[in-house]
Amino acid sequence: MKASDADILIIPGYTNSGPSHWQSRWEAKLSTARRVEQTEWTKPVREDWIARIAEEVNASTRPVILVAHSLGVTSAIHAIPHFRKPVAGAFFVAPPDVANPDIRPKHLMTFGPYPRDPLPFPSITVASRNDPFGSYEHADDIASSWGSFLVDAGEAGHINADSGHGPWPEGTMVFAQFLSRLSA
């Protein structure tokens, strides 16, 4: 599949993805990409975020590719039962451990726990060995339960602009490879 064959939904996490974040850069470069906008980025409400993602998936006219980061991963996973349109695949990056009582801000725990059912579409989960919001072991565990292929990003922090992943060429290559293996 080519990017132009799909509706690519960019699903940011808590506080949104700023202009130098890799998600914003990808959205600007990919002609069929659009951001799932949330009403409240700094005080997220699980049900609202899930509803917005499902709304965008269900409004799509082409097969959907989810590109979620951090709390966007959690929200996308919870939204799956509400999808009425096909999802061709998902690219999940830096899933936070929302069941960890040390997570800050505390209200992010309302997004947990993750559903552990196998996903109904192919997916890749990219995780860092030193992500302050979720351990690599946690990412390995949930990716395994979903049947998602886990990519070890090494010591990459939260894989965002703050950790030096603005352009993120390695992520672009993994995403392009993933797309090439999907069927339209």
Side-chain angles (χ1 to χ4, degrees):
M1 175 181 290
K2 294 185 230 166
S4 59
D5 297 332
D7 282 337
I8 298 171
L9 297 184
I10 305 292
I11 307 171
Y14 176 64
T15 72
N16 201 352
S17 295
S20 59
H21 193 286
W22 61 267
Q23 280 189 312
S24 299
R25 292 167 186 252
W26 289 14
E27 181 184 6
K29 285 183 183 177
L30 299 167
S31 64
T32 62
R34 69 181 186 273
R35 182 176 304 243
V36 175
E37 292 290 347
Q38 298 293 348
T39 304
E40 184 54 67
W41 289 107
T42 59
K43 291 184 181 147
V45 176
R46 176 177 152 165
E47 293 74 22
D48 295 347
W49 279 41
I50 291 167
R52 278 293 301 128
I53 294 166
E55 183 181 315
E56 288 293 333
V57 168
N58 296 332
S60 295
T61 56
R62 293 176 282 230
V64 172
I65 305 294
L66 307 173
V67 178
H69 179 259
S70 193
L71 197 62
V73 175
T74 315
S75 303
I77 293 291
H78 282 298
I80 291 170
H82 306 284
F83 296 168
R84 294 187 312 271
K85 295 279 180 85
V87 171
F91 190 80
F92 298 137
V93 180
D97 184 354
V98 289
N100 181 343
D102 294 330
I103 196 168
R104 295 292 181 267
K106 277 280 207 216
H107 69 271
L108 299 183
M109 286 185 70
T110 63
F111 281 75
Y114 282 96
R116 300 184 62 81
D117 299 326
L119 300 180
F121 44 77
S123 66
I124 284 183
T125 300
V126 181
S128 168
R129 295 268 175 185
N130 64 341
D131 188 336
F133 300 103
S135 71
Y136 184 81
E137 292 73 25
H138 171 262
D140 186 21
D141 180 53
I142 58 172
S144 179
S145 73
W146 299 334
S148 184
F149 182 78
L150 182 67
V151 174
D152 185 342
E155 293 195 1
H158 195 48
I159 313 176
N160 58 8
D162 290 343
S163 65
H165 296 85
W168 196 32
E170 302 87 354
T172 303
M173 291 186 308
V174 172
F175 182 65
Q177 253 185 346
F178 176 61
L179 277 180
S180 74
R181 294 186 174 146
L182 297 177
S183 53

